[in-house]
Amino acid sequence: MNASDPTPWDDSLYGFHLARGLMRGRLVRLGGALDDLLGRHDHPPAVQALLAETTVLAAALAGGLKYEGVFTLQTSSDGAVPTLMADVTSTGDVRAVARVDQERLDNLLKDAPDGDAPMTALLGRGHMAFTVDQGPRTERYQGITDLTGTTLAQAVEHYFRQSEQLPTLVLSAARRDPAAAPGAGWQAGCLLVQRMPPEAGGRDGSDAADSWETADVLLRTLGPDELLSPALSPDRIVHRLFHGEDLVPGETRPLRFGCRCSREKIESALRRFPRAELDAMKQEDGHVTASCQFCAAHYTFDDTDLDALASDRNAPDGPESD
């Protein structure tokens, strides 16, 4: 089977527990959803691979939370790729975007072998933020950690170790099948295992410490080829690694590319501007055009549309009326 062929276990999250509740884990695999996501952005492979890994990490982290809304994983740094951002809704929609300094990126990659570069060179110094947003009537939760280590997975491990006091093991990988059609063949995977605190079913003691060390050793034996192999479903990978550790399978959830942009949201934003400012936004064709940074959808507004927006804004019950 070709690595780019769709499989039933692509684009899914598989959960499990180990050692009688001492640990919980998630294995996430993304395939077709990544092709749909990355195909909307014109980035070189090195940036696409980082964006793919950010997305699969976000999905794995979101899978361990109970929330109704959006989970966001974002990096902010001083390198050629100053921002990576991926978000996951509680219903399984994923999307992502990267912002690049094109001149710096071109200079960095022109001397890199095969047009590739390590994360530390692409991102530079900065931080990673984890945000849960459950809507306007709830308080947002946010955690921040330095971009520590040489991979995004190591930065995630550092966050849980230092900020949450929750020992966490993370292994992630992303790649594109060179034999696939242009714009297709992307794969990413993440295996995440966490040691649960006593209040969540975990326990202390030498036996628990031994079980955690064993899980660490077993997880590190998983290589990228096995993690991303289309011949292995997530449950088979987890069983191969942890069948001797009181493995209890959990639920499998589907994941998919999905963007939340809409014409109505763009209209709501444009209504905040006076008509004169809307006119100043016009392009050469006389239209105002807004583009979604996540899915690259374009929304165009002509004079009739702008008149209607200005009329709504100036109505007695419009946005400026209290």
Side-chain angles (χ1 to χ4, degrees), residues 152-167:
L152 293 172
Q154 289 176 2
V156 171
E157 288 183 337
H158 175 76
Y159 167 76
F160 281 103
R161 183 171 57 250
Q162 299 297 320
S163 302
E164 299 290 332
Q165 303 298 307
L166 185 65

Side-chain angles (χ1 to χ4, degrees), residues 240-271:
R240 280 187 176 191
L241 292 173
F242 302 121
H243 63 273
E245 304 306 310
D246 295 312
L247 170 64
V248 177
E251 66 175 334
T252 298
R253 306 180 202 169
L255 300 166
R256 70 201 72 81
F257 170 76
C259 191
R260 302 186 300 281
C261 73
S262 68
R263 187 175 181 86
E264 290 72 21
K265 289 182 178 180
I266 302 298
E267 288 176 347
S268 179
L270 292 178
R271 282 193 193 96

